[in-house]
Amino acid sequence: MTTTQLIEQIRKKQSFLCIGLDPDLDKIPTHLHQYEDPIFEFNKAIIDATHHLCVAYKPNTAFYECYGIKGWKSLEKTIQYLNNKYPEIFTIADAKRGDIGNTSTRYAKAFFEQLNFDSITVAPYMGKDSVEPFLSFKNKHTILLALTSNEGALDFQTQNTTDTTLYKMVLEKSKTWKNATQLMYVVGATKAEYFKEIRNIVPDNFLLVPGVGAQGGSVEEVCKYGLNKNIGLLINSSRGIIYASNQSNFAVQAQIEAQKLQQEMQLELTKHSII
Ligand SMILES: O=c1ccn([C@@H]2O[C@H](COP(=O)(O)O)[C@@H](O)[C@H]2O)c(=O)[nH]1
């Protein structure tokens, strides 16, 4: 999917919501365990109930890999379902990959060609030659970890190097890489006070913002400096939506939570005169 198509979807749905598909067999409603693939049934019900309220889904691969081959199969079925039934949806493999060049190319092939995701999260730590292989795939997007939402982000990412901080160095440097327009960045909603500085460095790139809902981040705070003329934000919530209920009405409850976030986003777009 191109960035222009993503922006069109955001404008049409008045939503820049990304829903995290992080299924946990211990948390999904018990009645789903009667199915051969409970994780896929869970995801399918959540997707069918929420697709009109969001523009992206983000399965975190850890929640599939932990179940071995069965889990990988559930991931494969989920992405196929999204691509076939809702091709207008932007898909994000939250896999946090990145390795020496030839290995990164294999990761990129796995997620962009084999599974046909639109984007993947990548750790910047190994530098330019570990990221550029992902950027060479047409109409695919690389979402670089910049300033993550967890407490440990303060261990390295906000530490001063000689005259800057590590996360700013990631932003500045990656801007110079080949096909950098295909870069997006992860910035945690729990780090709202950093968005002004971040937008000064990367005014145009999309930011994937996890951390609202279960981690306590605020849509309003993120939007204050995070929104740009092309919206430029995908705000993610996983547990806050998919585990709104563990009863048979879980999909309806998920829809209600997704709708609350969509309405907040619509309000922000109006407030910032973007739509
Ligand atoms: O900085 C980051 C990067 C990734 N994540 C991932 O996003 C979701 C958040 O889930 P919630 O349930 O909404 O807290 C999850 O997959 C994380 O691994 C992040 O939270 N922060």
Side-chain angles (χ1 to χ4, degrees):
M1 182 182 290
T2 63
T3 311
T4 309
Q5 287 167 327
L6 172 62
I7 296 165
E8 266 168 28
Q9 283 302 312
I10 295 176
R11 292 190 187 280
K12 187 171 160 196
K13 290 179 170 172
Q14 307 244 318
S15 170
F16 43 97
L17 176 62
C18 170
I19 298 182
L21 296 173
D22 294 354
D24 178 339
L25 282 175
D26 296 331
K27 285 193 187 163
I28 67 175
T30 48
H31 76 274
L32 293 177
H33 288 277
Q34 66 183 299
Y35 292 99
E36 199 214 320
D37 188 345
I39 286 183
F40 175 63
E41 294 301 328
F42 177 74
N43 285 350
K44 188 152 76 76
I46 297 279
I47 293 166
D48 286 339
T50 58
H51 67 94
H52 56 296
L53 299 166
C54 68
V55 291
Y57 287 97
K58 180 181 79 63
N60 187 316
T61 56
F63 290 85
Y64 302 84
E65 288 170 281
C66 69
Y67 300 116
I69 292 169
K70 270 190 99 169
W72 201 256
K73 198 79 213 148
S74 306
L75 177 64
E76 204 173 34
K77 280 159 75 179
T78 301
I79 183 70
Q80 276 168 4
Y81 186 71
L82 281 167
N83 283 337
N84 292 338
K85 192 148 183 217
Y86 305 108
E88 73 285 3
I89 290 280
F90 186 74
T91 55
I92 303 169
D94 194 355
K96 302 185 181 70
R97 301 297 151 110
D99 204 320
I100 61 168
N102 65 321
T103 310
S104 275
T105 299
R106 296 285 138 183
Y107 278 139
K109 277 176 172 291
F111 287 96
F112 291 156
E113 287 181 348
Q114 193 64 33
L115 291 173
N116 200 16
F117 273 95
D118 291 309
S119 66
I120 182 175
T121 56
V122 169
Y125 186 62
M126 288 178 71
K128 175 178 165 160
D129 55 325
S130 73
V131 179
E132 279 187 343
F134 292 95
L135 293 169
S136 66
F137 287 73
K138 198 163 174 253
N139 293 334
K140 301 288 182 181
H141 307 263
T142 302
I143 311 180
L144 216 54
L145 301 182
L147 184 58
T148 55
S149 66
N150 58 321
E151 250 182 72
L154 308 183
D155 287 344
F156 301 121
Q157 297 164 21
T158 55
Q159 293 300 312
N160 287 324
T161 57
T162 34
D163 58 355
T164 183
T165 53
L166 187 57
Y167 85 86
K168 283 191 194 166
M169 206 187 263
V170 167
L171 297 172
E172 297 278 12
K173 259 251 176 309
S174 60
K175 275 176 27 170
T176 66
W177 295 345
K178 204 158 67 189
N179 300 326
T181 51
Q182 281 164 241
L183 277 174
M184 299 183 179
Y185 296 94
V186 172
V187 181
T190 53
K191 304 289 188 301
E193 68 275 25
Y194 292 86
F195 274 77
K196 193 173 179 191
E197 282 181 336
I198 288 171
R199 272 293 177 224
N200 281 335
I201 306 172
V202 285
D204 299 324
N205 299 68
F206 259 83
L207 307 178
L208 169 64
V209 185
V212 304
Q215 297 179 54
S218 138
V219 170
E220 188 181 7
E221 286 301 307
V222 168
C223 287
K224 203 156 154 192
Y225 296 111
L227 281 171
N228 67 18
K229 62 180 188 310
N230 284 324
I231 299 102
L233 290 176
L234 288 172
I235 296 188
N236 178 83
S237 174
S238 308
R239 288 166 292 178
I241 292 176
I242 67 175
Y243 299 127
S245 160
N246 64 358
Q247 304 299 305
S248 56
N249 66 347
F250 70 99
V252 174
Q253 292 303 318
Q255 185 182 79
I256 291 170
E257 291 308 313
Q259 186 153 34
K260 282 185 201 160
L261 284 172
Q262 182 273 325
Q263 282 170 350
E264 247 188 280
M265 290 174 184
Q266 187 168 14
L267 200 69
E268 290 300 322
L269 290 173
T270 311
K271 208 165 93 185
H272 290 259
S273 311
I274 291 174
I275 283 188

